[in-house]
Amino acid sequence: MADTRQRLIDGAIQTIRQHGITGTSARTIANTAGVNQALVFYHFGSVHELLEVACLAATEARVAPFLARVDAVTSLRQLLDLGRQLHAEERSLGNVMVLAQMLAGSQADPKLAKATSAALHLWIGPIEQALNRLLADSPLATLVDTAGLARAVCAGFIGLELFEGVDPTGAHAALDALDRLASLVEVIDDLGPVARRALRGKLRKSPA
């Protein structure tokens, strides 16, 4: 029974990769998994519950090795480089597309939105922690909403999966823009104490 349950979980993820969220149903998942359609409901109760479990299980499996890599990062530039590597890995495996499809389906499906949000937070948490650590001594520390930035980064990398399909050059330019942002942060961090205090004062006076 455990083997059948796992086959259904794997089958759900593979079905989303192959057919998108609109082509994912108990029948198509069962066909991909090579089992009887009734087993979807026997093991999970509904397709929604299966998708929730499958999305979380697949994300947990990918996040686990990522945690050690992000802990070793010592600069914002390294974090962005890791993001590029991870994006390439996830894209080649079709995992970014799974999340993108789940996000698309979630727009009109609150149950699917709940599962997708839980999976996204598995990525957001480590990224937010890394940003807090990397920006702790920066003049920008009190000005950057790291929680919001972590969510923007995750949303951006998922969106790039769709963007690359229609404009690969534009997607590459977007990643390059993030690199330039990292360079700007490095320049700010290298400022002397007087310049850093002046910058903090100037930024605090700037309108939100």
Side-chain angles (χ1 to χ4, degrees), residues 39-40 57 73 75 84 104 130 147 154 198 206:
L39 291 173
V40 171
V73 165
S75 69
R84 280 180 180 265
C154 287
S206 298

Side-chain angles (χ1 to χ4, degrees), residues 61-78:
R62 293 302 297 158
V63 169
F66 169 72
L67 295 178
R69 295 166 71 182
V70 77
D71 284 345
V73 165
T74 59
S75 69
L76 188 59
R77 181 178 295 280
Q78 287 182 13

